[in-house]
Amino acid sequence: QEGAWEYLVYDDGSTDDSLGIITRWHTALPDAVRARVQVYANEKNIGLPATCNRALSRTRGRYLLRLDADDIMLPGAVEKLVGTMNTLGDAAALFCGYQRVKEDGKTLIAMEPDNPDEHPGMCLLLARAAHDVRYRDGLEHYEGREFMKRFKDRYRAAHTPEILWS
């Protein structure tokens, strides 16, 4: 249905208060929103690729979007990405531009409309294609680049220069 979404939040066995913060945030959501948000916690840290694959196994929608803990989605990003993706025909991935900010999350460093790194964070993917490729378990670094390389070997990726995340 139009406007339908689900939001999966994963904690990969963090040892700080991340799960507590997530739980308090989730509990405070209005009932209608909370029903669409699922929170999962790994008993122990299993790594980003394995956690991403767990999330993939639970997705039910046509599209998916990975947003890491240090990413900020700009207002209207999902609607803009889906609207653009729906006009692209055979593209299975849509990268958008982003802005680099300092660790404070506020100070702009640079704008990257070309998204040269093609990181899967804030890249809209066709869920069926992501299920086909999946993340390679056991990688500790550059799992996103490795995933996207294999993804683009099988599927077409497109770009929009609109800056939609930081």
Side-chain angles (χ1 to χ4, degrees):
Q1 94 192 31
E2 181 112 16
W5 57 272
E6 65 179 334
Y7 192 54
L8 307 179
V9 180
Y10 267 85
D11 178 82
D12 187 21
S14 63
T15 57
D16 58 11
D17 190 35
S18 294
L19 187 57
I21 293 167
I22 293 166
T23 302
R24 288 188 294 279
W25 165 81
H26 185 249
T27 303
L29 292 172
D31 291 344
V33 174
R34 189 176 340 108
R36 298 174 117 183
V37 177
Q38 303 299 316
V39 176
Y40 302 97
N42 296 337
E43 288 183 23
K44 63 178 185 167
N45 182 287
I46 61 172
L48 186 57
T51 299
C52 287
N53 285 333
R54 282 189 176 182
L56 276 173
S57 70
R58 294 182 187 271
T59 60
R60 299 182 308 258
R62 179 175 183 192
Y63 300 116
L64 65 92
L65 183 71
R66 174 179 149 189
L67 187 67
D68 295 336
D70 61 348
D71 295 332
I72 299 170
M73 188 182 326
L74 300 180
V78 173
E79 294 83 2
K80 290 174 183 176
L81 286 168
V82 170
T84 301
M85 182 73 109
N86 286 335
T87 68
L88 295 176
D90 67 339
L94 177 60
F95 293 97
C96 64
Y98 63 97
Q99 56 190 13
R100 293 181 191 266
V101 294
K102 286 187 178 179
E103 211 169 292
D104 65 10
K106 299 174 187 166
T107 307
L108 182 65
I109 297 172
M111 306 293 263
E112 299 285 352
D114 296 332
N115 194 348
D117 295 333
E118 293 189 338
H119 188 282
M122 275 302 294
C123 175
L124 189 69
L125 300 171
L126 278 177
R128 65 174 171 72
H131 284 271
D132 179 40
V133 175
R134 302 185 61 78
Y135 286 82
R136 181 156 292 141
D137 284 345
L139 293 180
E140 293 184 25
H141 303 288
Y142 303 108
E143 78 294 324
R145 287 184 182 168
E146 192 278 336
F147 170 86
M148 287 312 306
K149 180 189 178 321
R150 288 185 299 108
F151 190 96
K152 292 188 326 180
D153 285 346
R154 294 182 184 181
Y155 299 99
R156 186 172 85 80
H159 290 257
T160 179
E162 190 162 5
I163 293 172
L164 298 174
W165 70 289
S166 63

